[in-house]
Amino acid sequence: DKFMLGTALGYAYLLLLVSLWAGSRWLADARGGPAAGTSTPPWRWLLVAFVAAAGMVLFHSVVGLSAIPVSVGACVLLALLAARDPRLGPASRPLLLAAASLAGLIATWPYFQSILSGWDAGHTGVRHQYLHLDWRMPWTLVTACGLTAVAAWPGLRRALAERSVAATWLACWILGMTLFALLVNLPESNEFKFVWQVFAPLAVCGGVGLPALLAAWRRRLGRVAAAVLVAVAFVLPAALLQFAFLVDPSGA
């Protein structure tokens, strides 16, 4: 619903997609990927990653202060893998991407400091356990992202086997964001915003595999049962959301 309402969170989510796009393009250049051979300066993608990181912090700190650490961690993990496997390109490229993301955070340092002071229990009188694991987040991740993960797996498996640099980074990113969502607990249940951040890169990878998944449903279940399953997976959630907007008294 955040996209339908046009909130700052929705714009931060848009910048998250831009940062994933920029990181993938920058890393794809390492092995002559889609952007190689064009007139576009390859360093431009680092600039896009820097601006997207800064924007995420400024528009919605929950997005920025979760996506940036995860992105940096994915870059470091990719650099370690690249040091062992030259097919993943030079280890310096993911480290430069990590530096661009951190530079975006540093550029917003005054705002970042104000956020930290606002979270200080000594000022607010509210004490909170930030590292916590309970059953609700795993359940939410499975129900919200499970189908997309199933669609993403064949493409990710192939990309990892072929040592696709961008896909390997996205796989590291998904792993890091999933662990972050499972372990980090925020006041007022704000950690559930992390679910979309797991979903987004899964959807990027799963879009390619979705037609094959739907075709497999039709072969195994028959056209009618497959159509019912598609309606439950794609039509019913949208209908429930629309119904909720129509009957919500606060939205009148």
Side-chain angles (χ1 to χ4, degrees):
D1 64 321
K2 298 296 184 181
F3 290 103
M4 298 175 72
L5 297 174
T7 63
L9 177 63
Y11 190 70
Y13 280 161
L14 175 61
L15 291 175
L16 171 60
L17 290 176
V18 171
S19 70
L20 293 176
W21 169 55
S24 297
R25 293 297 297 266
W26 165 253
L27 294 170
D29 281 353
R31 278 186 10 185
T38 68
S39 59
T40 302
W43 53 262
R44 187 184 76 163
W45 301 112
L46 292 179
L47 179 61
V48 174
F50 160 78
V51 174
M56 282 189 288
V57 177
L58 292 175
F59 276 90
H60 204 291
S61 57
V62 169
V63 179
L65 298 182
S66 56
I68 293 174
V70 167
S71 182
V72 170
C75 289
V76 172
L77 180 55
L78 178 59
L80 293 174
L81 294 174
R84 298 171 61 90
D85 189 343
R87 290 177 294 177
L88 292 173
S92 60
R93 291 189 77 88
L95 294 179
L96 286 172
L97 179 60
S101 297
L102 287 174
L105 177 61
I106 294 172
T108 63
W109 186 252
Y111 181 60
F112 181 54
Q113 281 185 308
S114 70
I115 295 171
L116 290 181
S117 63
W119 284 350
D120 187 359
H123 288 83
T124 63
V126 177
R127 297 194 177 276
H128 184 77
Q129 185 179 1
Y130 285 100
L131 295 179
H132 179 65
L133 176 64
D134 64 20
W135 65 270
R136 292 178 300 169
M137 181 56 80
W139 171 255
T140 306
L141 284 171
V142 169
T143 53
C145 304
L147 177 63
T148 313
V150 170
W153 173 241
L156 274 176
R157 182 175 58 185
R158 177 181 174 182
L160 293 174
E162 296 174 353
R163 296 299 189 270
S164 167
V165 187
T168 302
W169 177 67
L170 280 176
C172 295
W173 208 100
I174 293 167
L175 175 63
M177 195 68 245
T178 302
L179 294 174
F180 197 98
L182 288 172
L183 296 176
V184 176
N185 182 42
L186 298 180
E188 298 182 347
S189 299
N190 271 307
E191 68 274 8
F192 288 100
K193 293 182 173 66
F194 302 150
V195 176
W196 192 90
Q197 297 171 212
V198 176
F199 171 83
L202 278 174
V204 170
C205 300
V208 176
L210 184 60
L213 179 64
L214 298 180
W217 286 359
R218 287 194 295 269
R219 288 195 307 269
R220 296 176 183 177
L221 304 174
R223 289 185 176 274
V224 175
V228 171
L229 189 55
V230 168
V232 170
F234 297 101
V235 180
L236 181 61
L240 288 173
L241 179 62
Q242 186 63 37
F243 176 75
F245 270 105
L246 292 175
V247 301
D248 180 17
S250 65

